């Protein structure tokens, strides 16, 4: 996954003069580069594990292209209204205002997010970085926000914007697509072993605990032995 610096550098060079009447927002989670120094990544298990069947190792078996799950893109319709906080320093713009502004003008935005445990606050924290470029501006707007996970849960309904549902889907891994997205990001930024180890905390909680024969055929001996041990526990 590209770093935030790389993403913002790409946005600075984007020519949006021919962009149709929409604003494209891509969302990546978890973005490990956003972790504060000394903090550990904190992921909650996928939602409703007991009621769900474990997704196959190969996402293509259920019609999900690995390339599709690598990034989540939302195309927002725009109203061509004035940007409400034009001229205001980015640091003074709140998250609701920054994200609502995306629907004012055509453009392109990138959102990175990560959750971690804050030892001082003794709670889980969500950090979001957003980079936005509008067709009507040469400048790149950059924002950084933090909130506790409890605050995030309370804010989802308050924001009432499409991106909040998409980001929460990734955080909770409430769909198979979100599950593959998170697993792929961990494998890419850390290692495949790290992705398997993270799943080892809750793999036994899936509603369907048996390995399918068709899955065994595509797995290495080490992967089969690892999963069998976890399922047996």
């Amino acid at each position: 996954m590209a770093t935030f610096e790389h993403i913002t550098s790409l946005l600075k060079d984007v020519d949006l003069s021919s962009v149709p009447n929409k604003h494209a927002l891509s969302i990546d989670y978890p973005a490990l580069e956003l972790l504060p120094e000394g903090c550990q990544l904190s992921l909650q298990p996928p939602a409703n594990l007991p009621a769900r069947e474990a997704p196959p190792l190969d996402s293509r078996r259920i019609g999900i292209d690995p390339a599709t799950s690598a990034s989540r893109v939302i195309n927002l319709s725009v109203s061509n209204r004035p940007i409400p906080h034009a001229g205001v320093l980015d640091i003074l713009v709140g998250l609701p205002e920054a994200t609502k502004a995306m629907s004012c003008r055509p453009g392109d935005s990138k959102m990175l997010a990560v959750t971690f445990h804050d030892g001082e606050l003794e709670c889980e924290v969500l950090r979001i970085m957003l980079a936005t470029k509008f067709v009507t501006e040469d400048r790149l707007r950059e924002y950084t926000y933090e909130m506790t996970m409890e605050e995030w849960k309370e804010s989802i309904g308050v924001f009432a914007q499409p991106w909040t549902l998409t980001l929460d889907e990734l955080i909770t891994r409430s769909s198979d697509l979100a599950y593959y997205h998170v697993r792929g990001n961990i494998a890419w930024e850390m290692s495949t072993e790290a992705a398997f180890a993270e799943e080892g905390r809750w793999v036994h909680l899936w509603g369907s605990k048996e390995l399918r024969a068709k899955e065994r055929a595509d797995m290495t001996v080490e992967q089969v032995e690892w999963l069998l041990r976890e399922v047996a526990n």
Side-chain angles (χ1 to χ4, degrees):
M1 187 179 69
T3 64
F4 189 74
E5 287 75 13
H6 178 60
I7 288 173
T8 54
S9 67
L10 291 177
L11 281 178
K12 288 177 181 176
D13 298 328
V14 170
D15 178 10
L16 297 173
S17 59
S18 61
V19 172
N21 202 38
K22 66 179 183 180
H23 194 109
L25 168 65
S26 67
I27 302 176
D28 268 320
Y29 173 89
L32 303 187
E33 66 175 277
L34 300 187
L35 284 174
E37 185 176 354
C39 292
Q40 297 293 320
L41 174 67
S42 177
L43 298 176
Q44 61 186 70
N48 303 316
L49 276 173
R52 296 169 62 184
E53 183 178 2
L57 188 67
D58 186 348
S59 64
R60 291 170 294 185
R61 292 194 180 279
I62 56 175
I64 297 178
D65 187 328
T68 303
S69 64
S71 184
R72 303 298 297 276
V73 179
I74 305 174
N75 288 314
L76 305 171
S77 59
V78 298
S79 58
N80 287 310
R81 293 178 288 107
I83 300 170
H85 51 269
V88 179
L89 293 176
D90 293 347
I91 196 173
L92 300 178
V93 179
L95 181 58
E97 292 74 25
T99 52
K100 285 180 180 178
M102 293 187 294
S103 296
C104 293
R105 289 280 189 271
D108 194 21
S109 291
K110 308 292 183 184
M111 178 180 287
L112 306 182
V114 72
T115 46
F116 60 91
H117 181 75
D118 188 309
E120 293 185 1
L121 296 177
E122 297 185 346
C123 66
E124 311 309 304
V125 173
L126 170 65
R127 170 177 283 187
I128 295 174
M129 294 188 75
L130 176 67
T132 294
K133 184 173 184 181
F134 294 105
V135 173
T136 54
E137 295 183 339
D138 292 330
R139 63 170 293 209
L140 179 68
R141 298 170 178 268
E142 299 180 53
Y143 313 94
T144 302
Y145 304 99
E146 285 189 5
M147 67 186 78
T148 68
M149 286 305 295
E150 288 302 316
E151 291 172 333
W152 166 250
K153 293 174 183 176
E154 295 173 357
S155 299
I156 296 174
V158 176
F159 286 135
Q161 297 180 50
W163 70 268
T164 58
L165 299 179
T166 300
L167 178 55
D168 195 60
E169 178 189 340
L170 293 174
I171 292 173
T172 61
R173 289 182 271 189
S174 57
S175 69
D176 289 344
L177 186 60
Y179 160 80
Y180 288 119
H181 176 103
V182 173
R183 189 184 71 178
N185 272 10
I186 296 175
W188 176 263
E189 294 202 21
M190 299 175 69
S191 66
T192 301
E193 291 75 16
F196 274 112
E198 191 276 323
E199 294 185 14
R201 300 181 298 115
W202 41 261
V203 68
H204 59 287
L205 298 176
W206 287 114
S208 176
K209 300 180 182 180
E210 294 294 330
L211 287 175
R212 307 170 188 174
K214 64 179 181 180
E215 283 300 302
R216 284 198 196 93
D218 293 337
M219 298 172 70
T220 66
V221 174
E222 291 78 11
Q223 288 172 337
V224 171
E225 291 177 345
W226 179 84
L227 284 173
L228 285 174
R229 286 198 304 272
E230 294 300 329
V231 170
N233 290 337

